[in-house]
Amino acid sequence: MPDPRSTAPDSGSNGQRRVLTRPSWPEYQRITEILRAETVGGLLLIAGAVLALVWANLAGDSYSSLRDLHVGGQVLGFDLDLTLGHWAADGLLAVFFFLVGLELKKEFVAGDLRRLDRAIVPVAAAFGGVAVPAVLYVLVNLGSGGETLRGWAIPTATDIAFAVAVLAVVGSRLPSALRLFLLTLAVVDDLVAILIIALFYTDELAVEQLLWALIPLAAFGWLVQRRTAFFGVHAWAGAVLLVPLGVLVWAFFHESGVHATIAGVVLGFLVPVLRKSGGEGPGLAEVLEHRVRPLSAGFCVPVFAFFSAGVAIGGGDGGFGALFTDTVAWGIVIGLVVGKPIGILVATWLVTRTRHANLDSDIAWRDLVGMSMLAGIGFTVSLLISELSFAAGSAHYDHAKIAILTASVLAAGLSALVLVPRNRHYRELERREQVDEDQDGIPDLFQRPEDQRG
């Protein structure tokens, strides 16, 4: 295999566009920063899930009593009498989805998704990684009745925080292009999951509440678009002006029947990415992301994991026997562990077989196999969809969550079997090489601006 530290152009000698090439230096810096944040968040997420599992299996009654404790009531005409578990799923995850909205817009406006040549592989891989698991789940559950089919979307999501936490342990020396591939794939994956939740998990729609939501939504949009510099400089202004408007939008969405987390995505899409003045420095989307990500990764997502992952393993009607015969559980495990890698790899292979794209020579297919297995870690959004698919207390409800946890651990373990040897290989290459830095301070293993074509 060619030296992965050499600089290669985006186009091959045969005119084909090379995909999964090394990112530019600024892109690499952005990726590294996101990976560091997601790694910490992923570890906290795993800790919250483990704590919930231990508590639920050692003292299940106290755990369920805490999760089902009602907090709230009628507030300004909104029915907000929700359990703590419901607050975590609908309220705290809205913060996570706000970050998803910011990241999506950044990718479409200023990131790799704005360029077809760089976006085509991760976008195709993401859709393949959504379609194949869903099809496999449906095939497994075709003869089991209509209720089981409600969970078809559970194995379609990739948990980027969990996956990045595993990647930090097993693949710290893998090429940066592969890390960018996983991040971009997960961003598109989140977009598809958002559309699925909005389109297929809205039972009753109160249009009047959505129309009322347009008022605070318009005010939020006007402020972030017209007073960008003000909110960028004064951190307190966001808490005083933007947060109340965001909460109001969330409340109207909650009352409308559309899952309230969608409000976070919509709000994120309204935030401008680029500085209108044309000056240097980050745009408001990046500024807000830096401010909100610690809250999301350090509190909101781990708390959701704690309230969602606590299931009695082997408990419920029939115990383990019922779990092993439940097609919902098998559909989820097969979808995430088998369907995800197949969908991602087949879609990537099809794109790179066209005359317009060719896999970069620095990337080995075995690296992509490991990354596609890692994408089978479904956690946060998968748990959310499982709660939307099945009624609390039903056997499918608990079995789906156990299956998600089991599949995520299996996907992490299988990916480690592939990526650990590859990581050792790249570490050995790094030891044998000395990276020379140019006068601009950019190591040779990254693309310089003049090397980026197209």
Side-chain angles (χ1 to χ4, degrees):
M1 191 179 70
D3 187 347
R5 303 303 183 187
S6 62
T7 303
D10 282 351
S11 297
S13 58
N14 59 357
Q16 286 183 313
R17 173 67 62 179
R18 286 184 179 177
V19 293
L20 296 187
T21 55
R22 288 166 299 286
S24 63
W25 176 245
E27 185 73 0
Y28 173 81
Q29 291 177 306
R30 188 182 70 84
I31 295 167
T32 302
E33 186 174 348
I34 293 175
L35 284 170
R36 288 196 187 106
E38 295 289 4
T39 300
V40 175
L43 294 175
L44 291 175
L45 181 152
I46 295 171
V50 170
L51 177 60
L53 282 171
V54 173
W55 189 345
N57 283 275
L58 295 182
D61 291 341
S62 61
Y63 172 83
S64 58
S65 297
L66 177 64
R67 181 192 60 200
D68 298 334
L69 177 66
H70 278 259
V71 175
Q74 291 290 329
V75 180
L76 299 177
F78 298 109
D79 183 12
L80 299 178
D81 183 18
L82 309 175
T83 65
L84 287 178
H86 200 167
W87 275 112
D90 282 19
L92 295 182
L93 273 196
V95 179
F96 166 77
F97 275 87
F98 174 72
L99 283 176
V100 171
L102 291 177
E103 188 63 31
L104 280 169
K105 187 170 183 181
K106 283 173 59 182
E107 288 294 333
F108 282 120
V109 173
D112 277 358
L113 291 182
R114 80 188 190 279
R115 292 177 51 184
L116 179 62
D117 60 310
R118 284 189 172 270
I120 185 170
V121 170
V123 169
F127 277 96
V130 168
V132 175
V135 170
L136 289 179
Y137 179 94
V138 171
L139 290 176
V140 171
N141 286 274
L142 269 180
S144 303
E147 182 186 7
T148 62
L149 292 177
R150 281 187 56 84
W152 66 271
I154 295 174
T156 62
T158 295
D159 192 296
I160 186 59
F162 199 154
V164 165
V166 175
L167 183 62
V169 176
V170 303
S172 59
R173 293 295 188 273
L174 293 174
S176 53
L178 285 172
R179 297 162 178 267
L180 178 60
F181 172 75
L182 180 65
L183 283 175
T184 309
L185 181 151
V187 166
V188 180
D189 192 298
D190 284 339
L191 175 60
V192 177
I194 290 163
L195 294 175
I196 288 174
I197 292 172
L199 295 176
F200 297 99
Y201 290 93
T202 300
D203 294 327
E204 297 181 3
L205 183 62
V207 178
E208 181 182 356
Q209 297 297 328
L210 284 180
L211 294 177
W212 279 109
L214 293 177
I215 298 176
L217 198 61
F220 182 95
W222 186 87
L223 286 173
V224 295
Q225 292 289 337
R226 296 300 183 91
R227 297 293 182 264
T228 301
F230 177 73
F231 289 108
V233 174
H234 303 288
W236 60 265
V240 173
L241 298 175
L242 299 182
V243 171
L245 290 172
V247 171
L248 198 56
V249 172
W250 175 88
F252 279 121
F253 268 71
H254 183 271
E255 294 287 296
S256 72
V258 176
H259 199 267
T261 54
I262 305 299
V265 181
V266 176
L267 290 167
F269 271 128
L270 292 178
V271 180
V273 172
L274 304 177
R275 293 172 63 92
K276 293 185 177 180
S277 62
E280 297 182 357
L284 184 57
E286 187 171 344
V287 171
L288 293 183
E289 182 183 352
H290 279 286
R291 293 174 184 171
V292 177
R293 190 176 291 278
L295 173 64
S296 174
F299 179 76
C300 296
V301 175
V303 170
F304 165 75
F306 171 77
F307 281 114
S308 185
V311 291
I313 299 177
D317 297 336
F320 272 114
L323 173 62
F324 286 125
T325 58
D326 191 348
T327 55
V328 167
W330 282 108
I332 293 171
V333 172
I334 293 173
L336 285 172
V337 178
V338 180
K340 271 287 184 182
I342 290 177
I344 291 170
L345 288 172
V346 169
T348 303
W349 183 84
L350 290 174
V351 170
T352 56
R353 294 283 73 79
T354 66
R355 63 186 180 87
H356 299 294
N358 186 27
L359 190 68
D360 191 85
S361 57
D362 291 349
I363 302 297
W365 276 100
R366 70 189 101 172
D367 298 332
L368 283 178
V369 169
M371 282 295 184
S372 65
M373 290 178 173
L374 196 60
I377 297 177
F379 201 81
T380 304
V381 179
S382 291
L383 288 172
L384 175 61
I385 296 177
S386 72
E387 295 189 351
L388 298 175
S389 301
F390 306 113
S394 71
H396 295 319
Y397 181 85
D398 289 339
H399 292 168
K401 293 190 174 186
I402 295 173
I404 292 168
L405 297 173
T406 303
S408 297
V409 172
L410 282 174
L414 291 173
S415 66
L417 292 177
V418 177
L419 294 178
V420 168
R422 298 301 298 162
N423 192 62
R424 192 180 303 120
H425 166 75
Y426 287 111
R427 184 187 292 116
E428 184 61 28
L429 284 180
E430 195 172 285
R431 286 174 182 170
R432 294 201 306 259
E433 301 174 336
Q434 196 123 40
V435 179
D436 294 326
E437 292 192 6
D438 300 319
Q439 292 182 352
D440 58 6
I442 301 177
D444 286 341
L445 60 100
F446 304 105
Q447 289 184 7
R448 295 179 293 276
E450 61 268 22
D451 292 326
Q452 299 179 58
R453 301 191 176 116

